[in-house]
Amino acid sequence: MLQRSIIPLLFLSSVAMGQLKNSIDADNTTHKSRKGIFEITYNKNQWQQSDSASKWDAEFHDTYKLINIYFIEYDIFIPHENIKKTIQAQYEAFGKIKNIKIYDKTINTMKGSYFECTLNYNNYKFVYQGFLYNGPAGTMEIQFGMQEETKNQYQNTVDAFCNGIKQIK
């Protein structure tokens, strides 16, 4: 008798798990990079992809527009020793970045360089983070920008977005 009641329970629990997975999958969408080498899977209830044109391959922002994300695949490789100069050059028009830290980080088997820095702009302090990875066809960079007050509150959300980045080729 016990075996007869366990089998329907196992069936019902597997159906429930399948529905939960489908619900989670329905909340996610994927952006494929222009070279088809990387994809970013993200929760569309937390992030929106911008449709405005820019020098970046793709831009995203959170629901409240507190965090901006910039993604690009370069047609060159950025050597590790040039990362600091490259980052400084990106912010040159906005001011001098401070407190730059660069360290090794792995995101979904991609070993690259992660950076953090601050920038004072129009009397506001901004925090930037980013990941650079030398892939098969050049360097991939993803960058997160937010006001300093936002960082602690939304760091887990940024980390979750990073976990959705994968190399597919």
Side-chain angles (χ1 to χ4, degrees):
M1 181 71 175
L2 183 60
Q3 285 181 334
R4 284 187 186 172
S5 57
I6 289 176
I7 291 172
L9 284 175
L10 289 174
F11 175 74
L12 288 174
S13 65
S14 67
V15 169
M17 291 299 286
Q19 288 175 342
L20 177 62
K21 183 183 182 322
N22 288 340
S23 172
I24 292 169
D25 289 345
D27 291 341
N28 291 332
T29 190
T30 300
H31 168 80
K32 197 172 203 178
S33 67
R34 70 179 166 87
K35 294 181 181 181
I37 297 171
F38 302 97
E39 69 179 18
I40 304 170
T41 301
Y42 60 95
N43 184 321
K44 62 186 175 188
N45 296 323
Q46 292 179 329
W47 301 100
Q48 286 77 50
Q49 186 171 354
S50 174
D51 50 4
S52 60
S54 78
K55 68 177 190 168
W56 297 91
D57 293 342
E59 293 185 27
F60 305 86
H61 59 81
D62 70 304
T63 304
Y64 305 109
K65 295 189 177 184
L66 297 173
I67 304 169
N68 292 311
I69 303 173
Y70 309 96
F71 173 82
I72 193 166
E73 284 178 294
Y74 295 107
D75 295 328
I76 59 167
F77 292 95
I78 300 172
H80 184 75
E81 59 271 5
N82 291 353
I83 290 175
K84 185 173 183 178
K85 284 194 291 187
T86 301
I87 295 165
Q88 289 170 329
Q90 288 175 338
Y91 296 101
E92 203 170 53
F94 304 105
K96 186 175 181 176
I97 59 170
K98 298 178 182 174
N99 306 321
I100 189 164
K101 297 176 203 159
I102 300 170
Y103 51 92
D104 294 336
K105 184 171 182 170
T106 301
I107 297 176
N108 291 326
T109 70
M110 297 180 294
K111 291 183 180 190
S113 298
Y114 203 85
F115 73 87
E116 297 179 19
C117 62
T118 57
L119 173 73
N120 290 323
Y121 182 72
N122 287 341
N123 296 319
Y124 294 99
K125 192 171 189 178
F126 290 90
V127 175
Y128 289 91
Q129 300 176 26
F131 180 69
L132 289 98
Y133 169 71
N134 284 326
T139 298
M140 175 274 289
E141 179 180 7
I142 188 135
Q143 204 178 100
F144 303 86
M146 64 201 92
Q147 277 188 264
E148 183 180 47
E149 295 81 4
T150 308
K151 183 182 184 286
N152 291 336
Q153 184 177 356
Y154 288 98
Q155 187 62 50
N156 290 337
T157 307
V158 168
D159 293 341
F161 191 93
C162 282
N163 289 332
I165 303 167
K166 289 189 286 187
Q167 182 176 337
I168 55 176
K169 272 190 179 175

